Amino acid sequence: MQQWEYYTTFLQADAKNEAEFLEELRDWKEGIPQHTPEALIPRLNALGEQGWEMLQILPVNSGAKGDVINPSIWTHTYFCAFKRPKSE
């Protein structure tokens, strides 16, 4: 029977950190929005290369104690859950 391991993390969409990637991604006629979700792609691809498969991504606000709420306000933080086959 297949066994899985899981990984959760918060990712923040920050165009400044991924400017080069975003400029190559497409033509941004009005400039790259500061918190565009496409800024997550390089980190998501890196996790995929490590064998992680995304299960869920949710926009959230996270507190200082690691608590989260599903926001009713603007956010650029995403809670992500991943899984990959467990090594035997």
Side-chain angles (χ1 to χ4, degrees):
M1 182 172 154
Q2 178 67 59
Q3 298 289 311
W4 302 96
E5 63 178 327
Y6 297 90
Y7 174 66
T8 60
T9 190
F10 294 107
L11 298 179
Q12 294 189 341
D14 186 351
K16 290 179 186 175
N17 292 338
E18 303 299 341
E20 185 176 324
F21 168 81
L22 292 168
E23 289 169 0
E24 293 177 9
L25 184 64
R26 66 180 170 126
D27 181 22
W28 302 85
K29 294 185 187 331
E30 297 179 23
I32 301 172
Q34 182 178 356
H35 299 298
T36 184
E38 287 93 336
L40 299 172
I41 293 172
R43 179 71 175 126
L44 295 174
N45 285 341
L47 287 164
E49 289 170 6
Q50 295 172 23
W52 293 106
E53 177 184 351
M54 180 180 288
L55 298 173
Q56 184 83 36
I57 184 170
L58 294 170
V60 297
N61 284 320
S62 60
K65 297 180 182 179
D67 49 346
V68 298
I69 63 169
N70 196 343
S72 58
I73 59 173
W74 297 102
T75 185
H76 65 282
T77 302
Y78 297 84
F79 174 78
C80 303
F82 300 86
K83 73 174 186 179
R84 70 179 174 190
K86 192 172 185 178
S87 301
E88 298 194 23

Coordinates of all heavy atoms in Angstrom, one line a residue:
M1 N 0.8 -1.2 0.0 CA 0.0 0.0 0.0 C 0.9 1.3 0.0 O 1.9 1.3 0.8 CB -0.9 0.0 1.2 CG -1.8 1.1 1.3 SD -3.0 0.9 2.7 CE -3.4 2.5 3.1
Q2 N 0.6 2.2 -0.9 CA 1.3 3.4 -1.0 C 1.3 4.2 0.3 O 0.2 4.5 0.9 CB 0.8 4.3 -2.1 CG 1.5 5.6 -2.3 CD 3.0 5.4 -2.7 OE1 3.2 4.8 -3.8 NE2 3.9 5.9 -1.9
Q3 N 2.4 4.7 0.8 CA 2.5 5.6 2.0 C 2.9 6.9 1.5 O 3.6 7.1 0.5 CB 3.6 5.0 2.9 CG 3.3 3.7 3.5 CD 2.1 3.7 4.5 OE1 2.1 4.6 5.4 NE2 1.2 2.8 4.3
W4 N 2.4 8.0 2.2 CA 2.6 9.4 1.8 C 3.3 10.1 2.9 O 3.1 9.8 4.1 CB 1.3 10.0 1.4 CG 0.6 9.4 0.3 CD1 -0.4 8.5 0.4 CD2 0.8 9.5 -1.1 NE1 -0.8 8.0 -0.8 CE2 -0.1 8.7 -1.8 CE3 1.7 10.3 -1.9 CZ2 -0.1 8.6 -3.2 CZ3 1.6 10.2 -3.2 CH2 0.7 9.4 -3.9
E5 N 4.0 11.1 2.5 CA 4.5 12.1 3.5 C 3.9 13.5 3.1 O 3.7 13.7 1.9 CB 6.0 12.2 3.6 CG 6.8 12.6 2.4 CD 8.3 12.6 2.7 OE1 8.7 13.0 3.8 OE2 9.0 12.3 1.7
Y6 N 3.7 14.4 4.0 CA 3.0 15.6 3.8 C 3.9 16.8 4.2 O 4.8 16.7 5.1 CB 1.7 15.7 4.5 CG 0.8 14.6 4.1 CD1 0.8 13.3 4.6 CD2 -0.1 14.8 3.0 CE1 -0.1 12.3 4.2 CE2 -0.9 13.8 2.5 CZ -0.9 12.6 3.1 OH -1.7 11.6 2.7
Y7 N 3.7 17.9 3.5 CA 4.4 19.2 3.8 C 3.4 20.3 3.7 O 2.7 20.4 2.8 CB 5.5 19.3 2.8 CG 6.3 20.6 2.9 CD1 7.1 20.9 4.0 CD2 6.3 21.5 1.8 CE1 7.8 22.1 4.0 CE2 7.0 22.7 1.9 CZ 7.8 22.9 3.0 OH 8.5 24.1 3.0
T8 N 3.5 21.2 4.7 CA 2.7 22.4 4.6 C 3.6 23.6 4.8 O 4.6 23.6 5.5 CB 1.6 22.4 5.7 OG1 2.2 22.4 7.0 CG2 0.6 21.3 5.5
T9 N 3.2 24.7 4.2 CA 4.0 25.9 4.3 C 3.1 27.1 3.9 O 2.1 27.0 3.2 CB 5.2 25.8 3.4 OG1 6.1 26.9 3.6 CG2 4.9 25.8 1.9
F10 N 3.6 28.3 4.3 CA 3.0 29.6 3.8 C 3.9 30.1 2.7 O 5.2 30.1 2.8 CB 3.0 30.6 4.9 CG 2.1 30.2 6.0 CD1 2.6 29.8 7.3 CD2 0.7 30.3 5.9 CE1 1.7 29.5 8.3 CE2 -0.2 30.0 6.9 CZ 0.4 29.6 8.1
L11 N 3.4 30.5 1.6 CA 4.1 31.1 0.5 C 3.5 32.5 0.3 O 2.3 32.7 0.4 CB 4.0 30.3 -0.8 CG 4.5 28.9 -0.8 CD1 4.3 28.2 -2.2 CD2 6.0 28.9 -0.4
Q12 N 4.4 33.5 0.0 CA 4.0 34.8 -0.2 C 4.3 35.2 -1.6 O 5.4 35.0 -2.1 CB 4.7 35.8 0.8 CG 4.2 35.5 2.2 CD 4.7 36.6 3.1 OE1 5.6 37.4 2.8 NE2 4.0 36.7 4.3
A13 N 3.3 35.8 -2.3 CA 3.5 36.2 -3.7 C 4.1 37.6 -3.7 O 3.5 38.6 -3.2 CB 2.1 36.3 -4.4
D14 N 5.4 37.7 -4.1 CA 6.1 38.9 -4.1 C 6.8 39.1 -5.5 O 7.8 38.4 -5.7 CB 7.1 38.9 -3.0 CG 7.8 40.3 -2.8 OD1 7.7 41.1 -3.7 OD2 8.5 40.4 -1.8
A15 N 6.3 39.9 -6.3 CA 6.8 40.1 -7.6 C 8.3 40.6 -7.6 O 9.0 40.3 -8.5 CB 5.9 41.1 -8.4
K16 N 8.7 41.4 -6.6 CA 10.0 41.9 -6.6 C 11.1 40.7 -6.5 O 12.1 40.8 -7.1 CB 10.2 42.8 -5.3 CG 9.5 44.1 -5.4 CD 9.7 44.9 -4.2 CE 8.8 46.1 -4.2 NZ 8.9 46.9 -2.9
N17 N 10.7 39.6 -5.8 CA 11.6 38.5 -5.7 C 11.7 37.7 -7.0 O 12.6 36.9 -7.2 CB 11.2 37.6 -4.6 CG 11.5 38.3 -3.2 OD1 12.2 39.2 -3.1 ND2 10.7 37.8 -2.2
E18 N 10.7 37.8 -7.9 CA 10.6 37.0 -9.1 C 10.5 37.8 -10.3 O 9.9 37.4 -11.3 CB 9.4 36.0 -9.0 CG 9.4 35.1 -7.7 CD 10.6 34.2 -7.7 OE1 11.2 34.0 -8.7 OE2 10.9 33.7 -6.6
A19 N 11.0 39.0 -10.3 CA 10.8 40.0 -11.4 C 11.3 39.4 -12.8 O 10.7 39.5 -13.8 CB 11.5 41.3 -11.1
E20 N 12.5 38.8 -12.8 CA 13.1 38.2 -14.0 C 12.2 37.1 -14.6 O 11.9 37.1 -15.8 CB 14.5 37.7 -13.7 CG 15.2 37.2 -15.0 CD 16.6 36.7 -14.7 OE1 17.3 37.3 -13.9 OE2 17.0 35.8 -15.4
F21 N 11.7 36.2 -13.7 CA 10.8 35.2 -14.2 C 9.5 35.8 -14.7 O 9.1 35.4 -15.8 CB 10.5 34.2 -13.0 CG 9.4 33.3 -13.3 CD1 9.6 32.1 -14.1 CD2 8.1 33.6 -12.9 CE1 8.5 31.3 -14.3 CE2 7.0 32.7 -13.2 CZ 7.2 31.6 -13.9
L22 N 8.9 36.7 -14.0 CA 7.7 37.3 -14.4 C 7.8 38.1 -15.7 O 6.8 38.0 -16.5 CB 7.1 38.2 -13.3 CG 6.7 37.4 -12.0 CD1 6.4 38.4 -10.9 CD2 5.5 36.6 -12.3
E23 N 8.9 38.7 -15.9 CA 9.1 39.5 -17.2 C 9.1 38.5 -18.4 O 8.7 38.9 -19.5 CB 10.3 40.3 -17.1 CG 10.2 41.5 -16.2 CD 11.5 42.2 -15.9 OE1 12.6 41.8 -16.4 OE2 11.5 43.2 -15.1
E24 N 9.7 37.3 -18.2 CA 9.7 36.3 -19.3 C 8.4 35.6 -19.4 O 8.1 35.1 -20.5 CB 10.8 35.3 -19.0 CG 12.2 35.9 -19.1 CD 13.3 35.0 -18.7 OE1 13.0 33.7 -18.6 OE2 14.5 35.4 -18.6
L25 N 7.6 35.6 -18.4 CA 6.4 34.8 -18.4 C 5.4 35.3 -19.4 O 4.8 34.6 -20.2 CB 5.7 34.8 -17.0 CG 4.5 34.0 -16.8 CD1 4.8 32.5 -17.0 CD2 3.9 34.2 -15.4
R26 N 5.2 36.6 -19.4 CA 4.2 37.2 -20.4 C 4.4 38.7 -20.4 O 5.2 39.3 -19.7 CB 2.8 36.9 -20.0 CG 2.3 37.5 -18.7 CD 0.9 37.1 -18.4 NE 0.4 37.4 -17.1 CZ -0.6 38.2 -16.8 NH1 -1.4 38.7 -17.8 NH2 -1.0 38.4 -15.6
D27 N 3.7 39.4 -21.3 CA 3.8 40.8 -21.5 C 2.8 41.5 -20.5 O 1.6 41.3 -20.7 CB 3.4 41.2 -23.0 CG 3.5 42.7 -23.2 OD1 4.2 43.4 -22.5 OD2 2.9 43.1 -24.2
W28 N 3.3 42.2 -19.6 CA 2.5 42.9 -18.6 C 2.3 44.3 -19.1 O 3.1 45.2 -18.8 CB 3.2 42.9 -17.2 CG 3.5 41.5 -16.7 CD1 4.6 40.7 -17.0 CD2 2.7 40.7 -15.8 NE1 4.5 39.5 -16.4 CE2 3.4 39.5 -15.6 CE3 1.5 40.9 -15.2 CZ2 2.9 38.5 -14.8 CZ3 1.0 39.9 -14.4 CH2 1.7 38.7 -14.2
K29 N 1.2 44.5 -19.8 CA 1.0 45.8 -20.4 C 0.9 47.0 -19.4 O 1.3 48.1 -19.7 CB -0.3 45.8 -21.2 CG -0.2 44.8 -22.4 CD -1.4 44.9 -23.2 CE -1.5 43.9 -24.3 NZ -0.4 43.3 -25.0
E30 N 0.4 46.7 -18.2 CA 0.3 47.8 -17.2 C 1.3 47.6 -16.1 O 1.1 48.2 -15.0 CB -1.1 47.8 -16.7 CG -2.2 48.1 -17.8 CD -3.6 48.1 -17.2 OE1 -3.8 48.3 -16.0 OE2 -4.5 47.9 -18.1
G31 N 2.3 46.8 -16.3 CA 3.3 46.6 -15.2 C 2.9 45.4 -14.4 O 1.8 45.0 -14.4
I32 N 3.9 44.8 -13.8 CA 3.7 43.6 -13.0 C 3.1 44.0 -11.6 O 3.7 44.8 -10.9 CB 5.0 42.9 -12.7 CG1 5.7 42.5 -14.1 CG2 4.8 41.6 -11.9 CD1 7.0 41.9 -14.0
P33 N 1.9 43.5 -11.3 CA 1.3 43.8 -10.0 C 2.2 43.2 -8.9 O 2.8 42.1 -9.0 CB 0.0 43.0 -10.0 CG -0.3 42.8 -11.4 CD 1.0 42.6 -12.1
Q34 N 2.4 44.0 -7.8 CA 3.3 43.7 -6.7 C 3.1 42.3 -6.1 O 4.0 41.6 -5.8 CB 3.2 44.7 -5.6 CG 4.2 44.5 -4.5 CD 4.1 45.5 -3.4 OE1 3.3 46.5 -3.5 NE2 4.8 45.4 -2.3
H35 N 1.8 41.8 -6.0 CA 1.6 40.6 -5.3 C 0.8 39.6 -6.3 O 0.0 38.8 -5.8 CB 0.7 40.8 -4.1 CG 1.4 41.6 -3.1 ND1 2.6 41.3 -2.5 CD2 1.2 42.9 -2.6 CE1 3.0 42.2 -1.7 NE2 2.2 43.2 -1.7
T36 N 1.2 39.6 -7.6 CA 0.5 38.7 -8.5 C 0.8 37.2 -8.1 O 1.9 36.9 -7.8 CB 1.0 39.0 -9.9 OG1 0.3 38.1 -10.8 CG2 2.5 38.7 -10.1
P37 N -0.2 36.4 -8.1 CA -0.1 35.0 -7.8 C 0.9 34.3 -8.7 O 1.5 33.3 -8.2 CB -1.5 34.4 -8.0 CG -2.4 35.6 -7.8 CD -1.7 36.7 -8.4
E38 N 1.2 34.8 -9.9 CA 2.2 34.1 -10.7 C 3.6 34.1 -10.1 O 4.4 33.4 -10.5 CB 2.2 34.8 -12.1 CG 1.0 34.5 -13.0 CD -0.1 35.5 -12.9 OE1 -0.2 36.2 -11.8 OE2 -0.9 35.5 -13.8
A39 N 3.8 35.0 -9.1 CA 5.1 35.1 -8.4 C 5.4 33.8 -7.6 O 6.5 33.6 -7.2 CB 5.2 36.3 -7.5
L40 N 4.3 33.0 -7.4 CA 4.5 31.8 -6.7 C 5.1 30.6 -7.5 O 5.6 29.7 -7.0 CB 3.1 31.3 -6.1 CG 2.4 32.2 -5.1 CD1 1.0 31.6 -4.9 CD2 3.2 32.3 -3.8
I41 N 5.0 30.8 -8.9 CA 5.3 29.7 -9.8 C 6.7 29.1 -9.6 O 6.9 27.9 -9.5 CB 5.1 30.1 -11.2 CG1 3.6 30.3 -11.5 CG2 5.6 29.1 -12.2 CD1 3.2 30.9 -12.8
P42 N 7.8 30.0 -9.5 CA 9.1 29.4 -9.3 C 9.2 28.5 -8.0 O 9.8 27.4 -8.1 CB 10.0 30.6 -9.2 CG 9.3 31.6 -10.0 CD 7.9 31.4 -9.7
R43 N 8.7 28.9 -6.9 CA 8.7 28.1 -5.7 C 7.9 26.9 -5.8 O 8.3 25.8 -5.4 CB 8.2 29.0 -4.5 CG 8.2 28.2 -3.2 CD 9.7 28.0 -2.7 NE 9.6 27.4 -1.4 CZ 10.2 26.3 -1.0 NH1 10.9 25.7 -1.8 NH2 10.0 25.8 0.2
L44 N 6.7 27.0 -6.5 CA 5.9 25.8 -6.7 C 6.6 24.8 -7.6 O 6.6 23.6 -7.4 CB 4.5 26.2 -7.3 CG 3.6 27.0 -6.3 CD1 2.4 27.4 -7.1 CD2 3.3 26.2 -5.1
N45 N 7.3 25.3 -8.6 CA 8.0 24.4 -9.5 C 9.2 23.7 -8.8 O 9.4 22.5 -9.0 CB 8.6 25.2 -10.7 CG 7.5 25.5 -11.7 OD1 6.4 24.9 -11.8 ND2 7.7 26.5 -12.6
A46 N 9.9 24.5 -7.9 CA 11.0 23.9 -7.2 C 10.4 22.8 -6.3 O 11.1 21.7 -6.1 CB 11.7 25.0 -6.3
L47 N 9.3 22.9 -5.6 CA 8.7 21.9 -4.8 C 8.3 20.7 -5.6 O 8.5 19.5 -5.3 CB 7.5 22.4 -4.0 CG 7.9 23.4 -2.9 CD1 6.7 24.2 -2.4 CD2 8.5 22.6 -1.7
G48 N 7.8 21.0 -6.8 CA 7.4 19.9 -7.7 C 8.6 19.1 -8.2 O 8.6 17.8 -8.3
E49 N 9.8 19.7 -8.4 CA 11.0 19.0 -8.8 C 11.5 18.1 -7.6 O 12.2 17.2 -7.8 CB 12.1 20.0 -9.2 CG 11.8 20.7 -10.5 CD 12.7 21.9 -10.8 OE1 13.7 22.1 -10.0 OE2 12.4 22.6 -11.8
Q50 N 11.1 18.5 -6.4 CA 11.5 17.6 -5.2 C 10.5 16.5 -5.0 O 10.6 15.8 -4.0 CB 11.6 18.5 -4.0 CG 12.7 19.5 -4.0 CD 12.6 20.5 -2.8 OE1 12.0 20.2 -1.8 NE2 13.1 21.7 -3.0
G51 N 9.5 16.4 -5.9 CA 8.5 15.3 -5.8 C 7.2 15.7 -5.1 O 6.3 14.8 -4.9
W52 N 7.1 16.9 -4.7 CA 5.9 17.3 -3.9 C 4.8 17.6 -4.9 O 4.9 18.4 -5.9 CB 6.2 18.6 -3.1 CG 7.1 18.3 -1.9 CD1 8.4 18.7 -1.9 CD2 6.8 17.6 -0.8 NE1 8.9 18.3 -0.7 CE2 8.0 17.5 0.0 CE3 5.7 16.9 -0.3 CZ2 8.1 16.9 1.2 CZ3 5.8 16.2 1.0 CH2 7.0 16.3 1.7
E53 N 3.6 17.1 -4.6 CA 2.4 17.4 -5.4 C 1.4 18.2 -4.6 O 1.2 17.9 -3.4 CB 1.7 16.0 -5.7 CG 0.4 16.2 -6.5 CD -0.3 14.9 -6.7 OE1 0.3 13.8 -6.5 OE2 -1.5 14.9 -7.2
M54 N 0.9 19.3 -5.1 CA 0.1 20.2 -4.4 C -1.3 19.6 -4.2 O -1.9 19.0 -5.1 CB -0.1 21.5 -5.1 CG -1.0 22.5 -4.3 SD -1.3 24.1 -5.2 CE 0.3 24.8 -5.0
L55 N -1.7 19.7 -2.9 CA -3.1 19.2 -2.6 C -4.0 20.4 -2.4 O -5.2 20.2 -2.8 CB -3.0 18.5 -1.2 CG -2.2 17.2 -1.1 CD1 -2.1 16.7 0.3 CD2 -2.8 16.2 -2.1
Q56 N -3.6 21.5 -1.9 CA -4.4 22.6 -1.6 C -3.6 23.9 -1.6 O -2.5 23.9 -1.1 CB -5.1 22.4 -0.3 CG -6.1 23.4 0.1 CD -7.5 23.2 -0.5 OE1 -7.9 22.0 -0.6 NE2 -8.2 24.2 -0.8
I57 N -4.2 25.0 -2.0 CA -3.7 26.3 -1.8 C -4.8 27.2 -1.5 O -5.8 27.2 -2.2 CB -2.9 26.8 -3.1 CG1 -2.2 28.1 -2.8 CG2 -3.8 26.8 -4.3 CD1 -1.2 28.5 -3.9
L58 N -4.6 28.0 -0.4 CA -5.7 28.8 0.1 C -5.1 30.2 0.5 O -4.1 30.3 1.1 CB -6.3 28.3 1.4 CG -7.1 27.0 1.2 CD1 -7.5 26.5 2.6 CD2 -8.4 27.3 0.5
P59 N -5.7 31.3 0.0 CA -5.3 32.6 0.5 C -5.6 32.7 2.0 O -6.7 32.3 2.4 CB -6.1 33.6 -0.3 CG -7.3 32.8 -0.8 CD -6.9 31.4 -0.8
V60 N -4.7 33.1 2.8 CA -4.9 33.2 4.3 C -4.2 34.4 4.8 O -3.3 35.0 4.2 CB -4.4 32.0 5.0 CG1 -5.1 30.7 4.6 CG2 -2.9 31.8 4.8
N61 N -4.5 34.8 6.0 CA -3.7 35.7 6.9 C -3.2 34.8 8.0 O -3.9 34.0 8.6 CB -4.6 36.8 7.4 CG -4.9 37.9 6.4 OD1 -4.0 38.2 5.6 ND2 -6.1 38.4 6.4
S62 N -1.9 35.0 8.3 CA -1.3 34.2 9.4 C -0.9 35.1 10.5 O -0.4 36.2 10.3 CB -0.1 33.4 8.9 OG 0.9 34.2 8.4
G63 N -1.1 34.6 11.7 CA -0.8 35.4 12.9 C 0.6 35.1 13.4 O 1.3 34.2 12.9
A64 N 1.0 35.8 14.4 CA 2.4 35.7 14.9 C 2.6 34.3 15.6 O 3.7 33.9 15.7 CB 2.6 36.8 16.0
K65 N 1.5 33.6 16.0 CA 1.7 32.3 16.6 C 1.4 31.2 15.6 O 1.3 30.1 16.0 CB 0.7 32.2 17.8 CG 0.9 33.2 18.9 CD -0.1 33.1 20.0 CE 0.2 34.2 21.0 NZ -0.8 34.1 22.1
G66 N 1.4 31.5 14.3 CA 1.2 30.5 13.3 C -0.2 30.1 13.1 O -0.5 29.2 12.3
D67 N -1.1 30.8 13.7 CA -2.5 30.6 13.5 C -3.0 31.2 12.1 O -2.3 32.1 11.6 CB -3.4 31.1 14.6 CG -3.0 32.5 15.0 OD1 -2.0 33.0 14.6 OD2 -3.8 33.2 15.8
V68 N -4.0 30.7 11.5 CA -4.5 31.2 10.2 C -6.0 31.5 10.2 O -6.7 30.9 11.0 CB -4.1 30.2 9.1 CG1 -2.7 30.0 9.0 CG2 -4.9 28.9 9.3
I69 N -6.3 32.5 9.4 CA -7.7 32.7 9.1 C -7.9 32.8 7.6 O -6.9 33.2 6.9 CB -8.3 34.0 9.8 CG1 -7.6 35.2 9.2 CG2 -8.2 33.9 11.2 CD1 -8.3 36.5 9.7
N70 N -9.0 32.4 7.1 CA -9.3 32.6 5.7 C -9.8 34.0 5.5 O -10.8 34.3 6.1 CB -10.3 31.5 5.2 CG -10.4 31.4 3.7 OD1 -10.0 32.3 3.0 ND2 -11.0 30.4 3.2
P71 N -9.1 34.8 4.8 CA -9.3 36.3 4.9 C -10.6 36.7 4.2 O -11.0 36.1 3.2 CB -8.1 36.9 4.3 CG -7.7 35.9 3.3 CD -8.0 34.5 3.9
S72 N -11.1 37.8 4.7 CA -12.2 38.5 4.0 C -11.6 39.9 3.5 O -12.3 40.8 3.1 CB -13.4 38.7 4.8 OG -13.0 39.4 6.0
I73 N -10.2 40.0 3.7 CA -9.5 41.2 3.2 C -8.4 40.7 2.3 O -8.2 39.5 2.1 CB -8.9 41.9 4.4 CG1 -8.0 41.0 5.2 CG2 -10.0 42.5 5.3 CD1 -7.2 41.7 6.3
W74 N -7.7 41.7 1.6 CA -6.7 41.4 0.7 C -5.5 40.7 1.4 O -5.2 41.0 2.5 CB -6.2 42.6 0.0 CG -7.3 43.3 -0.8 CD1 -8.0 44.4 -0.4 CD2 -7.7 42.9 -2.1 NE1 -8.9 44.8 -1.4 CE2 -8.8 43.9 -2.4 CE3 -7.4 41.9 -2.9 CZ2 -9.5 43.8 -3.6 CZ3 -8.1 41.9 -4.1 CH2 -9.1 42.8 -4.5
T75 N -4.9 39.7 0.7 CA -3.7 39.1 1.2 C -2.8 38.6 0.0 O -3.3 38.4 -1.1 CB -4.1 37.9 2.1 OG1 -2.9 37.3 2.7 CG2 -4.8 36.8 1.3
H76 N -1.6 38.4 0.3 CA -0.7 37.8 -0.7 C 0.0 36.6 -0.1 O 1.0 36.1 -0.6 CB 0.3 38.8 -1.2 CG 1.3 39.3 -0.1 ND1 0.9 40.3 0.8 CD2 2.6 39.0 0.1 CE1 2.0 40.5 1.6 NE2 3.0 39.7 1.2
T77 N -0.5 36.1 1.0 CA 0.0 34.9 1.7 C -0.9 33.7 1.4 O -2.2 33.9 1.5 CB 0.1 35.1 3.2 OG1 1.0 36.2 3.5 CG2 0.7 33.9 3.9
Y78 N -0.3 32.6 1.1 CA -1.1 31.4 0.7 C -0.6 30.2 1.6 O 0.6 30.0 1.7 CB -0.9 31.0 -0.7 CG -1.4 32.1 -1.7 CD1 -0.6 33.2 -2.0 CD2 -2.7 32.0 -2.2 CE1 -1.1 34.2 -2.8 CE2 -3.2 33.0 -3.0 CZ -2.4 34.1 -3.4 OH -2.8 35.1 -4.2
F79 N -1.6 29.5 2.1 CA -1.3 28.3 2.9 C -1.3 27.1 1.8 O -2.3 27.0 1.1 CB -2.3 28.0 4.0 CG -2.1 26.7 4.6 CD1 -1.1 26.5 5.6 CD2 -2.9 25.6 4.3 CE1 -0.9 25.3 6.2 CE2 -2.7 24.3 4.9 CZ -1.7 24.2 5.8
C80 N -0.2 26.4 1.7 CA -0.1 25.3 0.8 C 0.1 24.0 1.4 O 0.9 23.9 2.4 CB 1.0 25.6 -0.2 SG 0.9 27.1 -1.1
A81 N -0.6 22.9 1.0 CA -0.4 21.6 1.5 C 0.1 20.7 0.3 O -0.5 20.8 -0.8 CB -1.6 21.0 2.1
F82 N 1.1 19.9 0.5 CA 1.7 19.0 -0.5 C 1.8 17.6 0.0 O 1.8 17.4 1.2 CB 3.1 19.5 -0.9 CG 3.1 20.9 -1.4 CD1 3.2 22.0 -0.5 CD2 3.1 21.2 -2.8 CE1 3.3 23.3 -1.0 CE2 3.2 22.4 -3.2 CZ 3.3 23.5 -2.4
K83 N 1.9 16.6 -0.9 CA 2.2 15.3 -0.6 C 3.2 14.7 -1.6 O 3.3 15.2 -2.7 CB 1.0 14.4 -0.5 CG 0.4 14.0 -1.8 CD -0.8 13.0 -1.7 CE -1.3 12.6 -3.1 NZ -2.3 11.6 -3.0
R84 N 3.9 13.7 -1.2 CA 4.7 12.9 -2.1 C 4.8 11.5 -1.6 O 4.7 11.2 -0.3 CB 6.1 13.5 -2.3 CG 7.0 13.5 -1.1 CD 8.4 14.1 -1.5 NE 9.2 14.2 -0.3 CZ 10.3 14.9 -0.2 NH1 10.7 15.6 -1.3 NH2 11.0 14.9 0.9
P85 N 5.1 10.5 -2.4 CA 5.3 9.2 -2.0 C 6.4 9.1 -0.9 O 7.5 9.7 -1.1 CB 5.7 8.4 -3.2 CG 5.2 9.2 -4.4 CD 5.3 10.7 -3.9
K86 N 6.1 8.3 0.1 CA 7.1 8.1 1.2 C 8.1 7.1 0.7 O 7.8 6.1 0.1 CB 6.4 7.7 2.4 CG 7.2 7.7 3.7 CD 6.4 7.4 4.9 CE 7.2 7.5 6.1 NZ 6.4 7.3 7.3
S87 N 9.4 7.4 1.0 CA 10.5 6.5 0.7 C 10.3 5.2 1.6 O 10.1 5.3 2.8 CB 11.9 7.1 0.9 OG 12.0 8.2 0.1
E88 N 10.6 4.1 1.0 CA 10.5 2.9 1.8 C 11.7 2.5 2.4 O 12.8 2.9 2.2 CB 10.0 1.7 0.8 CG 8.6 2.1 0.3 CD 7.9 0.9 -0.4 OE1 8.3 -0.3 0.0 OE2 7.1 1.1 -1.2

